[in-house]
Amino acid sequence: MANSTEPQKPQNTKKNKKKGATLDTFYGAKIQNTEQTEDNIKENAPKPSKGNGNSPQTYEEFESEMTKKMEAFWEEKLEIMQKKFTHLQNQFDQTVKENQALKARIRQLEDNDRVKEQESIKQSQNTKKLEENIKYLTDKVIDLENRGRRDNLRIIGLPEKPEINTKLDMVIQDIIKENCPEILEQGGNTATDRAHRTPSTLNPQKTTPRNVIAKFQSYQTKEKILQEARKRQFRYKGMPIRVTQDLASSTLNDRKAWNMIFRKARELGL
């Protein structure tokens, strides 16, 4: 009978420890006082009496009561952890949705950028074609302008005097007679359609005289005068003048760029 009143050793101590360790591992909680709590339970457990066993609370009852308290404690902790886990899960789901939305937006932007790049390539090609067409048309206009000036001669260095400006046609005849009279002797027609100064308005700040443009009725006569002007220096009443082909301003600028090359070629006898 005395043996029946001896307290029985708890059988689930290791089991409780194992359960606490499992919960601690599963939820990642750092529960450091689990073993200390169980040790306190053992220390504070009521000592069974060695008499007739009429102790106010047996060890089994105390252990059952403490087990219930521990279960309530862990259930509360589990509920808190589940709420936190649910909150984190919701945040994760929201992050996934936002990430998917950003990926869709990035794909849309990439598609738009690809479309714009293709449009830019097309525009570049169209611009290149337009530039080629503009260059072609510009060259064509310059060619037509030069062809329209094929009967003209440009006289440079003729003094700016009223008696000259009012009688340019007669002055041109005098220049031909003074420098290439053989053209007249051969019966060439030196009649001119028109002769005028260019530009039409005199610039008082410019010291050099304006050029004279003379349009001949015969292209052959104009070419003969031009060939003679290339052979020797033309003069008007003893003053040196230059007689050249009348060309468009863009063509003249292009020829100026070649003047150094032409000068070197003449020095080499080419």
Side-chain angles (χ1 to χ4, degrees):
M1 297 298 291
N3 292 334
S4 62
T5 58
E6 292 181 359
Q8 296 180 0
K9 293 183 180 180
Q11 301 296 327
N12 57 350
T13 303
K14 294 183 180 181
K15 186 176 181 180
N16 290 336
K17 289 183 179 180
K18 185 176 181 181
K19 181 179 180 182
T22 304
L23 290 173
D24 185 22
T25 304
F26 180 78
Y27 293 106
K30 297 180 179 180
I31 303 173
Q32 300 177 355
N33 58 351
T34 304
E35 295 180 358
Q36 185 177 358
T37 303
E38 294 178 353
D39 293 337
N40 292 334
I41 293 172
K42 292 179 180 180
E43 291 176 359
N44 297 326
K47 304 297 182 179
S49 63
K50 296 182 179 180
N52 54 6
N54 295 324
S55 104
Q57 186 179 15
T58 63
Y59 185 83
E60 289 80 3
E61 292 175 349
F62 176 77
E63 185 179 13
S64 176
E65 181 180 355
M66 295 306 297
T67 301
K68 291 179 180 180
K69 290 182 179 181
M70 291 295 295
E71 289 178 354
F73 171 79
W74 284 115
E75 287 178 359
E76 182 181 359
K77 292 294 184 182
L78 178 61
E79 184 179 359
I80 294 173
M81 295 299 295
Q82 286 178 347
K83 289 181 179 180
K84 290 182 179 180
F85 180 78
T86 304
H87 178 68
L88 291 174
Q89 184 66 35
N90 294 334
Q91 287 184 341
F92 177 77
D93 294 340
Q94 183 66 24
T95 304
V96 170
K97 292 180 181 179
E98 292 177 356
N99 188 23
Q100 292 176 352
L102 289 175
K103 287 182 178 180
R105 181 61 177 168
I106 291 172
R107 285 194 297 268
Q108 183 180 2
L109 291 175
E110 289 177 349
D111 294 339
N112 293 338
D113 185 67
R114 193 177 299 107
V115 172
K116 290 181 179 179
E117 184 178 359
Q118 293 176 356
E119 291 179 353
S120 177
I121 294 173
K122 291 181 180 179
Q123 290 179 357
S124 299
Q125 294 174 351
N126 293 335
T127 302
K128 186 177 180 181
K129 290 181 181 179
L130 289 175
E131 289 176 351
E132 292 175 354
N133 292 337
I134 290 173
K135 185 179 183 304
Y136 171 78
L137 294 174
T138 302
D139 295 339
K140 196 70 174 177
V141 169
I142 293 173
D143 180 67
L144 292 173
E145 185 177 358
N146 288 329
R147 290 178 183 274
R149 296 169 181 259
R150 65 193 303 270
D151 297 334
N152 297 353
L153 286 178
R154 182 182 292 266
I155 303 172
I156 304 170
L158 200 62
E160 285 274 1
K161 295 181 179 180
E163 60 272 17
I164 294 178
N165 292 340
T166 55
K167 299 178 181 180
L168 287 175
D169 291 337
M170 297 179 61
V171 170
I172 292 171
Q173 297 295 328
D174 295 339
I175 292 173
I176 295 173
K177 291 177 183 179
E178 183 177 353
N179 295 277
C180 49
E182 63 274 9
I183 294 177
L184 298 176
E185 293 174 0
Q186 294 176 2
N189 185 7
T190 57
T192 57
D193 287 339
R194 185 182 177 187
H196 62 89
R197 293 274 186 177
T198 181
S200 58
T201 304
L202 177 62
N203 186 2
Q205 297 180 354
K206 194 172 182 179
T207 57
T208 58
R210 293 173 294 171
N211 296 341
V212 175
I213 306 297
K215 180 176 176 60
F216 289 83
Q217 293 182 355
S218 173
Y219 171 78
Q220 289 77 13
T221 302
K222 187 270 302 182
E223 281 295 317
K224 290 178 181 180
I225 297 172
L226 186 61
Q227 290 175 5
E228 294 296 327
R230 289 171 178 168
K231 294 177 183 178
R232 57 182 180 273
Q233 177 70 58
F234 271 32
R235 294 180 178 274
Y236 174 69
K237 294 182 180 181
M239 294 181 298
I241 59 174
R242 287 177 55 202
V243 178
T244 63
Q245 174 68 45
D246 181 36
L247 297 170
S249 59
S250 58
T251 305
L252 292 175
N253 293 332
D254 292 340
R255 286 196 171 190
K256 286 181 182 179
W258 287 83
N259 284 341
M260 185 180 296
I261 299 175
F262 291 154
R263 190 181 301 112
K264 188 67 176 179
R266 285 194 295 269
E267 293 175 359
L268 296 175
L270 300 177

